[in-house]
Amino acid sequence: MAAINNSGIGGVNAHIILEPNYKLLSSDGLRIAQTIPRIVNICGRTEQSVKHIMDFIENNPKKITNDFLALLGKTMKYTPNVNSSGMPYRGLIVCIKNSKQILMIYHKL
């Protein structure tokens, strides 16, 4: 649990208490490539950031859930504003299920 307080000179006061969202994992969340291969699109502001996410996905297949992939999908919809370069670097990974585990067979930057 964390508390954040903000008091401004102009009389603006804000207080918030944050609590972690303890989510129960189910086996459905790990079904990312059960019947057909899944393409995971990745974008970032630098080439290194895209490689970092690719390495994380390849090295931690047990941590890759549908919720995690949904967060990556939201970044692909990012529209840069005038003062931002956006996320010009793109990459993809194709996930295929092989017997009992998910394999990342292809990645391109």
Side-chain angles (χ1 to χ4, degrees):
M1 186 179 294
I4 300 172
N5 294 313
N6 180 18
S7 299
I9 295 175
V12 176
N13 296 322
H15 310 284
I16 187 169
I17 297 176
L18 302 173
E19 185 176 322
N21 181 11
Y22 296 108
K23 200 171 204 179
L24 298 175
L25 294 177
S26 67
S27 61
D28 291 340
L30 296 173
R31 294 183 182 177
I32 62 169
Q34 293 298 318
T35 56
I36 59 173
R38 181 165 184 164
I39 297 173
V40 179
N41 293 311
I42 301 166
C43 66
R45 291 189 178 161
T46 64
E47 186 175 340
Q48 182 182 3
S49 66
V50 175
K51 285 183 180 179
H52 178 75
I53 294 172
M54 286 181 168
D55 290 341
F56 179 82
I57 291 173
E58 289 179 8
N59 297 328
N60 301 294
K62 299 271 185 195
K63 293 183 179 181
I64 307 306
T65 62
N66 285 325
D67 293 332
F68 176 79
L69 297 178
L71 290 173
L72 290 178
K74 287 184 181 181
T75 60
M76 292 296 290
K77 298 177 184 175
Y78 176 77
T79 305
N81 62 22
V82 175
N83 298 322
S84 173
S85 63
M87 298 191 187
Y89 294 93
R90 307 285 169 147
L92 65 92
I93 293 178
V94 178
C95 302
I96 293 180
K97 182 173 181 176
N98 180 9
S99 65
K100 293 185 178 181
Q101 68 180 18
I102 303 294
L103 298 175
M104 310 323 169
I105 63 155
Y106 176 78
H107 69 271
K108 181 178 181 185
L109 189 64

